[in-house]
Amino acid sequence: MDIDDVTRALELDIVFGRIRPRERLVEDELMERIGAKRHQVRAALAQLEQLGIVERRMNRGAIVRDFSVEEVEDLYEMRDHLHLLAVAKMDLPFSRTRVDRLRAIQARHDAAILGARLENVLDSNNAFHDELFDGCGNRYLAEAIRRHAWLSHAIRSYRIADREMLEQARKEHGEMIEVGAIGDRAALAELCTRHIQPSKLAYLDSRVGSDPAFRAS
């Protein structure tokens, strides 16, 4: 096991809600659960801190980052803008090669959902969006989209295993391929912005339900 493996294990724990926002990340506990050495855990936490997923607080150590209502709204507003800019820069209609690549990735995503293999669901979902937004032709823009998706990990955790949400995401992926293939830029832009909203709303609803003071944060 290397540092990347430890980082990946922690990422999955956060995405799948095994570690929730505001929960402490205690090195000894992580070492035992993951089977890693202390320097590997520390390096992995440092990587996740750089990505904005983990933060360090005085007298508490490392915790999974928590988002206020304003921060959630700001983050998803930025994601909307990035997605719309990427769609505006894409060459449409999609080439046959791009359509084939997207359909192949989506077939893996479909199979992962049907088999309830959540780690594969996550990986194939990320691969789909990487392939889609790499089509904007601007690698810095595509990287910014990936980074802001990373920042959303803890937010996405509240519904990532929800069957209804997964089915909706699968349906929308298919629609993105179809409207891109016929060159309907407006429809693709609308789908890309609508696609990320359910996880945001689920996070806000869950947090308000469990912590009434959260709405005022």
Side-chain angles (χ1 to χ4, degrees):
M1 175 174 287
D2 59 21
I3 293 170
D4 287 341
D5 294 327
V6 178
T7 303
R8 168 71 169 175
L10 289 174
E11 176 193 1
L12 293 176
D13 280 345
I14 293 169
V15 172
F16 296 139
R18 294 189 285 262
I19 305 175
R20 289 293 197 180
R22 295 185 293 181
E23 188 169 338
R24 290 185 63 210
L25 298 165
V26 180
E27 289 181 5
D28 289 342
E29 294 176 0
L30 297 175
M31 289 165 57
E32 182 177 355
R33 185 168 81 248
I34 299 172
K37 297 179 180 178
R38 189 176 301 277
H39 77 275
Q40 293 174 321
V41 169
R42 286 180 175 173
L45 290 174
Q47 286 186 13
L48 294 175
E49 184 179 11
Q50 287 183 337
L51 289 167
I53 300 171
V54 166
E55 61 184 7
R56 297 183 186 275
R57 293 185 180 177
M58 186 70 69
N59 300 322
R60 291 199 64 191
I63 65 169
V64 178
R65 182 175 176 179
D66 187 30
F67 291 87
S68 68
V69 172
E70 183 178 7
E71 288 172 330
V72 172
E73 296 289 357
D74 286 349
L75 173 57
Y76 276 76
E77 180 182 18
M78 177 58 74
R79 294 187 71 193
D80 279 346
H81 287 313
L82 291 170
H83 290 181
L84 290 173
L85 179 57
V87 172
K89 294 176 69 64
M90 289 178 185
D91 288 332
L92 295 180
F94 291 159
S95 67
R96 170 50 57 186
T97 299
R98 181 167 295 279
V99 169
D100 289 345
R101 285 200 299 260
L102 286 167
R103 284 179 174 161
I105 296 169
Q106 188 53 33
R108 299 200 303 270
H109 189 245
D110 291 346
I113 291 173
L114 291 173
R117 300 188 301 274
L118 289 181
E119 185 171 342
N120 291 343
V121 169
L122 175 66
D123 289 341
S124 55
N125 180 73
N126 290 342
F128 181 90
H129 290 284
D130 286 348
E131 176 64 33
L132 177 67
F133 291 118
D134 282 347
C136 73
N138 183 323
R139 64 189 180 94
Y140 297 104
L141 175 55
E143 182 57 35
I145 290 172
R146 277 189 283 273
R147 175 171 173 77
H148 284 78
W150 263 81
L151 279 171
S152 306
H153 271 352
I155 296 170
R156 294 161 65 192
S157 71
Y158 278 73
R159 288 284 298 277
I160 195 166
D162 183 277
R163 187 74 184 195
E164 182 179 348
M165 180 176 284
L166 290 175
E167 286 296 330
Q168 181 64 28
R170 185 173 73 86
K171 178 175 179 288
E172 289 173 353
H173 283 182
E175 292 172 353
M176 289 176 194
I177 296 171
E178 296 309 314
V179 299
I182 63 174
D184 191 337
R185 196 178 303 275
L188 181 59
E190 192 275 333
L191 276 166
C192 287
T193 55
R194 170 159 48 94
H195 187 64
I196 62 175
Q197 296 306 310
S199 59
K200 179 188 81 170
L201 297 175
Y203 178 85
L204 293 174
D205 288 345
S206 296
R207 288 300 313 280
V208 169
S210 62
D211 182 4
F214 174 74
R215 177 58 68 182
S217 64

